[in-house]
Amino acid sequence: MTRIRANCPGCGEVDLTPPEVTLRIVRAPDGLVGEGSTYRFLCPDCDELVTKPADERIAQLLSNGDVPIEEFGDIDQLLELLLPPHPEAPADAPRLTADDLLDLHELLAGDDWFERLLAS
Ligand SMILES: [Zn+2]
């Protein structure tokens, strides 16, 4: 089986097998390996998850070595997977309008906004 030599920040060079590495490719608009592409592995010596940026050359080398690939159409798809949903943007809440903002501004300009907040 192919062996992959990678670098752990704590342990230096480590040898891995292809299934131990995951290549995450974010496609650039031109179809090449884009910004945000990474490869990662669990270091066999210290158990740290190591994530490193992957450029076109690294992605080519790893995919030729039969490393499993997760592919994303663009960076937003990847972020959707990595980030929790935004807590301040519930899908079914009404949008903040310019009028709401003006009301808030006028409320905060008064002296009693904190008391009113506590009372609400
Ligand atoms: Zn390590």
PDB file of all heavy atoms in Angstrom, residues 84-117:
ATOM      1  N   PRO A  84     -21.643  26.132  12.697  1.00  0.00           N
ATOM      2  CA  PRO A  84     -23.012  25.942  13.183  1.00  0.00           C
ATOM      3  C   PRO A  84     -23.908  27.019  12.553  1.00  0.00           C
ATOM      4  O   PRO A  84     -23.394  28.037  12.110  1.00  0.00           O
ATOM      5  CB  PRO A  84     -22.884  26.154  14.686  1.00  0.00           C
ATOM      6  CG  PRO A  84     -21.659  26.989  14.862  1.00  0.00           C
ATOM      7  CD  PRO A  84     -20.733  26.657  13.721  1.00  0.00           C
ATOM      8  N   PRO A  85     -25.226  26.794  12.532  1.00  0.00           N
ATOM      9  CA  PRO A  85     -26.111  27.812  11.962  1.00  0.00           C
ATOM     10  C   PRO A  85     -25.977  29.120  12.736  1.00  0.00           C
ATOM     11  O   PRO A  85     -25.746  29.104  13.938  1.00  0.00           O
ATOM     12  CB  PRO A  85     -27.507  27.227  12.154  1.00  0.00           C
ATOM     13  CG  PRO A  85     -27.338  25.871  12.713  1.00  0.00           C
ATOM     14  CD  PRO A  85     -25.909  25.644  13.068  1.00  0.00           C
ATOM     15  N   HIS A  86     -26.119  30.240  12.057  1.00  0.00           N
ATOM     16  CA  HIS A  86     -25.976  31.548  12.692  1.00  0.00           C
ATOM     17  C   HIS A  86     -27.113  31.761  13.691  1.00  0.00           C
ATOM     18  O   HIS A  86     -28.278  31.708  13.328  1.00  0.00           O
ATOM     19  CB  HIS A  86     -26.008  32.649  11.627  1.00  0.00           C
ATOM     20  CG  HIS A  86     -25.477  33.937  12.143  1.00  0.00           C
ATOM     21  ND1 HIS A  86     -26.132  34.672  13.095  1.00  0.00           N
ATOM     22  CD2 HIS A  86     -24.344  34.615  11.873  1.00  0.00           C
ATOM     23  CE1 HIS A  86     -25.424  35.747  13.367  1.00  0.00           C
ATOM     24  NE2 HIS A  86     -24.327  35.737  12.643  1.00  0.00           N
ATOM     25  N   PRO A  87     -26.776  31.987  14.984  1.00  0.00           N
ATOM     26  CA  PRO A  87     -27.815  32.058  16.018  1.00  0.00           C
ATOM     27  C   PRO A  87     -28.705  33.289  15.905  1.00  0.00           C
ATOM     28  O   PRO A  87     -29.808  33.302  16.429  1.00  0.00           O
ATOM     29  CB  PRO A  87     -27.009  32.100  17.311  1.00  0.00           C
ATOM     30  CG  PRO A  87     -25.676  32.639  16.920  1.00  0.00           C
ATOM     31  CD  PRO A  87     -25.442  32.194  15.508  1.00  0.00           C
ATOM     32  N   GLU A  88     -28.230  34.339  15.259  1.00  0.00           N
ATOM     33  CA  GLU A  88     -29.018  35.570  15.198  1.00  0.00           C
ATOM     34  C   GLU A  88     -29.848  35.680  13.925  1.00  0.00           C
ATOM     35  O   GLU A  88     -30.444  36.708  13.663  1.00  0.00           O
ATOM     36  CB  GLU A  88     -28.091  36.782  15.318  1.00  0.00           C
ATOM     37  CG  GLU A  88     -27.455  36.869  16.683  1.00  0.00           C
ATOM     38  CD  GLU A  88     -26.317  37.873  16.719  1.00  0.00           C
ATOM     39  OE1 GLU A  88     -26.235  38.702  15.811  1.00  0.00           O
ATOM     40  OE2 GLU A  88     -25.526  37.802  17.655  1.00  0.00           O
ATOM     41  N   ALA A  89     -29.874  34.638  13.139  1.00  0.00           N
ATOM     42  CA  ALA A  89     -30.640  34.694  11.903  1.00  0.00           C
ATOM     43  C   ALA A  89     -31.591  33.505  11.775  1.00  0.00           C
ATOM     44  O   ALA A  89     -31.457  32.693  10.884  1.00  0.00           O
ATOM     45  CB  ALA A  89     -29.701  34.743  10.705  1.00  0.00           C
ATOM     46  N   PRO A  90     -32.544  33.395  12.729  1.00  0.00           N
ATOM     47  CA  PRO A  90     -33.491  32.294  12.599  1.00  0.00           C
ATOM     48  C   PRO A  90     -34.295  32.462  11.304  1.00  0.00           C
ATOM     49  O   PRO A  90     -34.730  33.569  10.991  1.00  0.00           O
ATOM     50  CB  PRO A  90     -34.378  32.422  13.839  1.00  0.00           C
ATOM     51  CG  PRO A  90     -34.192  33.823  14.318  1.00  0.00           C
ATOM     52  CD  PRO A  90     -32.839  34.272  13.850  1.00  0.00           C
ATOM     53  N   ALA A  91     -34.476  31.374  10.589  1.00  0.00           N
ATOM     54  CA  ALA A  91     -35.055  31.457   9.247  1.00  0.00           C
ATOM     55  C   ALA A  91     -36.472  32.020   9.249  1.00  0.00           C
ATOM     56  O   ALA A  91     -36.885  32.672   8.299  1.00  0.00           O
ATOM     57  CB  ALA A  91     -35.032  30.089   8.611  1.00  0.00           C
ATOM     58  N   ASP A  92     -37.254  31.788  10.341  1.00  0.00           N
ATOM     59  CA  ASP A  92     -38.657  32.178  10.300  1.00  0.00           C
ATOM     60  C   ASP A  92     -38.940  33.507  11.001  1.00  0.00           C
ATOM     61  O   ASP A  92     -40.086  33.886  11.195  1.00  0.00           O
ATOM     62  CB  ASP A  92     -39.513  31.067  10.914  1.00  0.00           C
ATOM     63  CG  ASP A  92     -39.072  30.728  12.337  1.00  0.00           C
ATOM     64  OD1 ASP A  92     -37.986  31.203  12.740  1.00  0.00           O
ATOM     65  OD2 ASP A  92     -39.793  29.996  13.028  1.00  0.00           O
ATOM     66  N   ALA A  93     -37.902  34.236  11.416  1.00  0.00           N
ATOM     67  CA  ALA A  93     -38.115  35.519  12.080  1.00  0.00           C
ATOM     68  C   ALA A  93     -38.264  36.632  11.043  1.00  0.00           C
ATOM     69  O   ALA A  93     -37.701  36.535   9.962  1.00  0.00           O
ATOM     70  CB  ALA A  93     -36.939  35.827  12.996  1.00  0.00           C
ATOM     71  N   PRO A  94     -39.024  37.706  11.403  1.00  0.00           N
ATOM     72  CA  PRO A  94     -39.140  38.814  10.454  1.00  0.00           C
ATOM     73  C   PRO A  94     -37.805  39.530  10.292  1.00  0.00           C
ATOM     74  O   PRO A  94     -37.009  39.581  11.223  1.00  0.00           O
ATOM     75  CB  PRO A  94     -40.186  39.729  11.110  1.00  0.00           C
ATOM     76  CG  PRO A  94     -40.197  39.359  12.549  1.00  0.00           C
ATOM     77  CD  PRO A  94     -39.767  37.920  12.641  1.00  0.00           C
ATOM     78  N   ARG A  95     -37.571  40.076   9.113  1.00  0.00           N
ATOM     79  CA  ARG A  95     -36.320  40.798   8.856  1.00  0.00           C
ATOM     80  C   ARG A  95     -36.300  42.115   9.606  1.00  0.00           C
ATOM     81  O   ARG A  95     -37.346  42.728   9.815  1.00  0.00           O
ATOM     82  CB  ARG A  95     -36.181  41.092   7.371  1.00  0.00           C
ATOM     83  CG  ARG A  95     -35.865  39.878   6.552  1.00  0.00           C
ATOM     84  CD  ARG A  95     -35.672  40.278   5.097  1.00  0.00           C
ATOM     85  NE  ARG A  95     -35.073  39.187   4.361  1.00  0.00           N
ATOM     86  CZ  ARG A  95     -33.744  38.979   4.321  1.00  0.00           C
ATOM     87  NH1 ARG A  95     -32.932  39.793   4.923  1.00  0.00           N
ATOM     88  NH2 ARG A  95     -33.268  37.941   3.651  1.00  0.00           N
ATOM     89  N   LEU A  96     -35.101  42.538   9.998  1.00  0.00           N
ATOM     90  CA  LEU A  96     -34.929  43.854  10.595  1.00  0.00           C
ATOM     91  C   LEU A  96     -35.055  44.895   9.478  1.00  0.00           C
ATOM     92  O   LEU A  96     -34.340  44.830   8.494  1.00  0.00           O
ATOM     93  CB  LEU A  96     -33.549  43.946  11.257  1.00  0.00           C
ATOM     94  CG  LEU A  96     -33.272  45.238  12.010  1.00  0.00           C
ATOM     95  CD1 LEU A  96     -33.977  45.229  13.352  1.00  0.00           C
ATOM     96  CD2 LEU A  96     -31.785  45.432  12.211  1.00  0.00           C
ATOM     97  N   THR A  97     -35.969  45.834   9.657  1.00  0.00           N
ATOM     98  CA  THR A  97     -36.154  46.861   8.622  1.00  0.00           C
ATOM     99  C   THR A  97     -35.494  48.162   9.048  1.00  0.00           C
ATOM    100  O   THR A  97     -35.058  48.306  10.203  1.00  0.00           O
ATOM    101  CB  THR A  97     -37.657  47.140   8.406  1.00  0.00           C
ATOM    102  OG1 THR A  97     -38.179  47.712   9.620  1.00  0.00           O
ATOM    103  CG2 THR A  97     -38.414  45.864   8.075  1.00  0.00           C
ATOM    104  N   ALA A  98     -35.437  49.130   8.137  1.00  0.00           N
ATOM    105  CA  ALA A  98     -34.876  50.452   8.450  1.00  0.00           C
ATOM    106  C   ALA A  98     -35.692  51.121   9.547  1.00  0.00           C
ATOM    107  O   ALA A  98     -35.149  51.802  10.408  1.00  0.00           O
ATOM    108  CB  ALA A  98     -34.842  51.307   7.187  1.00  0.00           C
ATOM    109  N   ASP A  99     -37.028  50.896   9.533  1.00  0.00           N
ATOM    110  CA  ASP A  99     -37.886  51.466  10.577  1.00  0.00           C
ATOM    111  C   ASP A  99     -37.554  50.886  11.944  1.00  0.00           C
ATOM    112  O   ASP A  99     -37.512  51.611  12.947  1.00  0.00           O
ATOM    113  CB  ASP A  99     -39.365  51.191  10.257  1.00  0.00           C
ATOM    114  CG  ASP A  99     -39.893  52.149   9.194  1.00  0.00           C
ATOM    115  OD1 ASP A  99     -39.224  53.183   8.939  1.00  0.00           O
ATOM    116  OD2 ASP A  99     -40.966  51.870   8.627  1.00  0.00           O
ATOM    117  N   ASP A 100     -37.332  49.559  11.998  1.00  0.00           N
ATOM    118  CA  ASP A 100     -36.953  48.915  13.268  1.00  0.00           C
ATOM    119  C   ASP A 100     -35.671  49.531  13.809  1.00  0.00           C
ATOM    120  O   ASP A 100     -35.539  49.805  15.003  1.00  0.00           O
ATOM    121  CB  ASP A 100     -36.720  47.413  13.063  1.00  0.00           C
ATOM    122  CG  ASP A 100     -37.988  46.681  12.657  1.00  0.00           C
ATOM    123  OD1 ASP A 100     -39.084  47.167  12.996  1.00  0.00           O
ATOM    124  OD2 ASP A 100     -37.874  45.632  12.002  1.00  0.00           O
ATOM    125  N   LEU A 101     -34.721  49.743  12.900  1.00  0.00           N
ATOM    126  CA  LEU A 101     -33.430  50.292  13.292  1.00  0.00           C
ATOM    127  C   LEU A 101     -33.584  51.708  13.848  1.00  0.00           C
ATOM    128  O   LEU A 101     -32.975  52.063  14.862  1.00  0.00           O
ATOM    129  CB  LEU A 101     -32.481  50.284  12.085  1.00  0.00           C
ATOM    130  CG  LEU A 101     -31.011  50.574  12.387  1.00  0.00           C
ATOM    131  CD1 LEU A 101     -30.439  49.538  13.344  1.00  0.00           C
ATOM    132  CD2 LEU A 101     -30.207  50.597  11.096  1.00  0.00           C
ATOM    133  N   LEU A 102     -34.431  52.498  13.185  1.00  0.00           N
ATOM    134  CA  LEU A 102     -34.682  53.865  13.632  1.00  0.00           C
ATOM    135  C   LEU A 102     -35.354  53.864  15.011  1.00  0.00           C
ATOM    136  O   LEU A 102     -34.980  54.642  15.903  1.00  0.00           O
ATOM    137  CB  LEU A 102     -35.559  54.599  12.604  1.00  0.00           C
ATOM    138  CG  LEU A 102     -35.614  56.117  12.724  1.00  0.00           C
ATOM    139  CD1 LEU A 102     -34.211  56.714  12.614  1.00  0.00           C
ATOM    140  CD2 LEU A 102     -36.524  56.704  11.655  1.00  0.00           C
ATOM    141  N   ASP A 103     -36.335  52.953  15.206  1.00  0.00           N
ATOM    142  CA  ASP A 103     -36.993  52.821  16.518  1.00  0.00           C
ATOM    143  C   ASP A 103     -35.971  52.498  17.597  1.00  0.00           C
ATOM    144  O   ASP A 103     -35.992  53.092  18.683  1.00  0.00           O
ATOM    145  CB  ASP A 103     -38.052  51.706  16.482  1.00  0.00           C
ATOM    146  CG  ASP A 103     -39.281  52.124  15.673  1.00  0.00           C
ATOM    147  OD1 ASP A 103     -39.407  53.323  15.354  1.00  0.00           O
ATOM    148  OD2 ASP A 103     -40.100  51.231  15.363  1.00  0.00           O
ATOM    149  N   LEU A 104     -35.074  51.564  17.285  1.00  0.00           N
ATOM    150  CA  LEU A 104     -34.053  51.161  18.248  1.00  0.00           C
ATOM    151  C   LEU A 104     -33.136  52.338  18.572  1.00  0.00           C
ATOM    152  O   LEU A 104     -32.817  52.597  19.734  1.00  0.00           O
ATOM    153  CB  LEU A 104     -33.238  49.981  17.693  1.00  0.00           C
ATOM    154  CG  LEU A 104     -32.107  49.482  18.590  1.00  0.00           C
ATOM    155  CD1 LEU A 104     -32.663  48.880  19.883  1.00  0.00           C
ATOM    156  CD2 LEU A 104     -31.249  48.459  17.862  1.00  0.00           C
ATOM    157  N   HIS A 105     -32.750  53.072  17.542  1.00  0.00           N
ATOM    158  CA  HIS A 105     -31.880  54.233  17.720  1.00  0.00           C
ATOM    159  C   HIS A 105     -32.542  55.262  18.656  1.00  0.00           C
ATOM    160  O   HIS A 105     -31.906  55.765  19.584  1.00  0.00           O
ATOM    161  CB  HIS A 105     -31.575  54.862  16.359  1.00  0.00           C
ATOM    162  CG  HIS A 105     -30.782  56.115  16.453  1.00  0.00           C
ATOM    163  ND1 HIS A 105     -29.411  56.117  16.678  1.00  0.00           N
ATOM    164  CD2 HIS A 105     -31.143  57.413  16.371  1.00  0.00           C
ATOM    165  CE1 HIS A 105     -28.993  57.360  16.733  1.00  0.00           C
ATOM    166  NE2 HIS A 105     -30.006  58.180  16.543  1.00  0.00           N
ATOM    167  N   GLU A 106     -33.810  55.546  18.405  1.00  0.00           N
ATOM    168  CA  GLU A 106     -34.518  56.532  19.239  1.00  0.00           C
ATOM    169  C   GLU A 106     -34.669  56.029  20.672  1.00  0.00           C
ATOM    170  O   GLU A 106     -34.555  56.800  21.627  1.00  0.00           O
ATOM    171  CB  GLU A 106     -35.880  56.849  18.621  1.00  0.00           C
ATOM    172  CG  GLU A 106     -35.734  57.774  17.416  1.00  0.00           C
ATOM    173  CD  GLU A 106     -37.037  57.961  16.653  1.00  0.00           C
ATOM    174  OE1 GLU A 106     -38.051  57.350  17.027  1.00  0.00           O
ATOM    175  OE2 GLU A 106     -37.008  58.710  15.668  1.00  0.00           O
ATOM    176  N   LEU A 107     -34.925  54.732  20.806  1.00  0.00           N
ATOM    177  CA  LEU A 107     -35.058  54.131  22.128  1.00  0.00           C
ATOM    178  C   LEU A 107     -33.750  54.271  22.914  1.00  0.00           C
ATOM    179  O   LEU A 107     -33.744  54.668  24.086  1.00  0.00           O
ATOM    180  CB  LEU A 107     -35.426  52.646  21.972  1.00  0.00           C
ATOM    181  CG  LEU A 107     -35.813  51.901  23.231  1.00  0.00           C
ATOM    182  CD1 LEU A 107     -37.153  52.411  23.748  1.00  0.00           C
ATOM    183  CD2 LEU A 107     -35.903  50.410  22.963  1.00  0.00           C
ATOM    184  N   LEU A 108     -32.637  53.975  22.255  1.00  0.00           N
ATOM    185  CA  LEU A 108     -31.338  54.021  22.929  1.00  0.00           C
ATOM    186  C   LEU A 108     -30.901  55.453  23.234  1.00  0.00           C
ATOM    187  O   LEU A 108     -30.083  55.679  24.130  1.00  0.00           O
ATOM    188  CB  LEU A 108     -30.269  53.318  22.078  1.00  0.00           C
ATOM    189  CG  LEU A 108     -30.437  51.802  21.951  1.00  0.00           C
ATOM    190  CD1 LEU A 108     -29.370  51.236  21.025  1.00  0.00           C
ATOM    191  CD2 LEU A 108     -30.379  51.117  23.309  1.00  0.00           C
ATOM    192  N   ALA A 109     -31.452  56.424  22.500  1.00  0.00           N
ATOM    193  CA  ALA A 109     -31.102  57.829  22.735  1.00  0.00           C
ATOM    194  C   ALA A 109     -31.748  58.346  24.021  1.00  0.00           C
ATOM    195  O   ALA A 109     -31.281  59.322  24.607  1.00  0.00           O
ATOM    196  CB  ALA A 109     -31.522  58.682  21.542  1.00  0.00           C
ATOM    197  N   GLY A 110     -32.817  57.687  24.481  1.00  0.00           N
ATOM    198  CA  GLY A 110     -33.484  58.096  25.716  1.00  0.00           C
ATOM    199  C   GLY A 110     -32.696  57.645  26.939  1.00  0.00           C
ATOM    200  O   GLY A 110     -31.764  56.850  26.832  1.00  0.00           O
ATOM    201  N   ASP A 111     -33.071  58.161  28.108  1.00  0.00           N
ATOM    202  CA  ASP A 111     -32.361  57.824  29.341  1.00  0.00           C
ATOM    203  C   ASP A 111     -32.898  56.565  30.014  1.00  0.00           C
ATOM    204  O   ASP A 111     -32.235  55.991  30.866  1.00  0.00           O
ATOM    205  CB  ASP A 111     -32.482  58.989  30.345  1.00  0.00           C
ATOM    206  CG  ASP A 111     -31.694  60.211  29.870  1.00  0.00           C
ATOM    207  OD1 ASP A 111     -30.695  60.025  29.149  1.00  0.00           O
ATOM    208  OD2 ASP A 111     -32.110  61.342  30.218  1.00  0.00           O
ATOM    209  N   ASP A 112     -34.115  56.168  29.633  1.00  0.00           N
ATOM    210  CA  ASP A 112     -34.760  55.089  30.381  1.00  0.00           C
ATOM    211  C   ASP A 112     -34.765  53.750  29.626  1.00  0.00           C
ATOM    212  O   ASP A 112     -35.508  52.852  29.972  1.00  0.00           O
ATOM    213  CB  ASP A 112     -36.205  55.485  30.712  1.00  0.00           C
ATOM    214  CG  ASP A 112     -37.030  55.684  29.445  1.00  0.00           C
ATOM    215  OD1 ASP A 112     -36.431  55.898  28.368  1.00  0.00           O
ATOM    216  OD2 ASP A 112     -38.272  55.641  29.540  1.00  0.00           O
ATOM    217  N   TRP A 113     -33.885  53.613  28.590  1.00  0.00           N
ATOM    218  CA  TRP A 113     -33.959  52.397  27.771  1.00  0.00           C
ATOM    219  C   TRP A 113     -33.668  51.136  28.575  1.00  0.00           C
ATOM    220  O   TRP A 113     -34.262  50.091  28.341  1.00  0.00           O
ATOM    221  CB  TRP A 113     -33.043  52.491  26.544  1.00  0.00           C
ATOM    222  CG  TRP A 113     -31.566  52.520  26.873  1.00  0.00           C
ATOM    223  CD1 TRP A 113     -30.797  53.624  27.069  1.00  0.00           C
ATOM    224  CD2 TRP A 113     -30.720  51.399  27.052  1.00  0.00           C
ATOM    225  NE1 TRP A 113     -29.513  53.261  27.362  1.00  0.00           N
ATOM    226  CE2 TRP A 113     -29.430  51.898  27.362  1.00  0.00           C
ATOM    227  CE3 TRP A 113     -30.891  50.020  27.003  1.00  0.00           C
ATOM    228  CZ2 TRP A 113     -28.340  51.068  27.601  1.00  0.00           C
ATOM    229  CZ3 TRP A 113     -29.804  49.185  27.237  1.00  0.00           C
ATOM    230  CH2 TRP A 113     -28.540  49.714  27.536  1.00  0.00           C
ATOM    231  N   PHE A 114     -32.766  51.264  29.575  1.00  0.00           N
ATOM    232  CA  PHE A 114     -32.413  50.061  30.310  1.00  0.00           C
ATOM    233  C   PHE A 114     -33.568  49.594  31.197  1.00  0.00           C
ATOM    234  O   PHE A 114     -33.868  48.410  31.290  1.00  0.00           O
ATOM    235  CB  PHE A 114     -31.143  50.276  31.141  1.00  0.00           C
ATOM    236  CG  PHE A 114     -30.572  49.006  31.675  1.00  0.00           C
ATOM    237  CD1 PHE A 114     -30.016  48.049  30.820  1.00  0.00           C
ATOM    238  CD2 PHE A 114     -30.596  48.722  33.043  1.00  0.00           C
ATOM    239  CE1 PHE A 114     -29.495  46.865  31.304  1.00  0.00           C
ATOM    240  CE2 PHE A 114     -30.076  47.535  33.532  1.00  0.00           C
ATOM    241  CZ  PHE A 114     -29.515  46.590  32.663  1.00  0.00           C
ATOM    242  N   GLU A 115     -34.256  50.580  31.836  1.00  0.00           N
ATOM    243  CA  GLU A 115     -35.408  50.246  32.664  1.00  0.00           C
ATOM    244  C   GLU A 115     -36.500  49.614  31.797  1.00  0.00           C
ATOM    245  O   GLU A 115     -37.148  48.658  32.208  1.00  0.00           O
ATOM    246  CB  GLU A 115     -35.972  51.485  33.374  1.00  0.00           C
ATOM    247  CG  GLU A 115     -35.116  52.004  34.529  1.00  0.00           C
ATOM    248  CD  GLU A 115     -33.874  52.759  34.063  1.00  0.00           C
ATOM    249  OE1 GLU A 115     -33.842  53.229  32.901  1.00  0.00           O
ATOM    250  OE2 GLU A 115     -32.913  52.883  34.861  1.00  0.00           O
ATOM    251  N   ARG A 116     -36.688  50.196  30.596  1.00  0.00           N
ATOM    252  CA  ARG A 116     -37.709  49.650  29.700  1.00  0.00           C
ATOM    253  C   ARG A 116     -37.353  48.236  29.238  1.00  0.00           C
ATOM    254  O   ARG A 116     -38.221  47.389  29.065  1.00  0.00           O
ATOM    255  CB  ARG A 116     -37.904  50.585  28.491  1.00  0.00           C
ATOM    256  CG  ARG A 116     -38.600  51.888  28.897  1.00  0.00           C
ATOM    257  CD  ARG A 116     -38.658  52.885  27.776  1.00  0.00           C
ATOM    258  NE  ARG A 116     -39.480  52.444  26.675  1.00  0.00           N
ATOM    259  CZ  ARG A 116     -39.737  53.185  25.603  1.00  0.00           C
ATOM    260  NH1 ARG A 116     -39.229  54.383  25.498  1.00  0.00           N
ATOM    261  NH2 ARG A 116     -40.502  52.710  24.652  1.00  0.00           N
ATOM    262  N   LEU A 117     -36.050  48.015  29.049  1.00  0.00           N
ATOM    263  CA  LEU A 117     -35.598  46.674  28.663  1.00  0.00           C
ATOM    264  C   LEU A 117     -35.893  45.675  29.785  1.00  0.00           C
ATOM    265  O   LEU A 117     -36.422  44.580  29.543  1.00  0.00           O
ATOM    266  CB  LEU A 117     -34.085  46.682  28.356  1.00  0.00           C
ATOM    267  CG  LEU A 117     -33.461  45.320  28.057  1.00  0.00           C
ATOM    268  CD1 LEU A 117     -33.970  44.791  26.716  1.00  0.00           C
ATOM    269  CD2 LEU A 117     -31.949  45.407  28.051  1.00  0.00           C
TER     270      LEU A 117
END
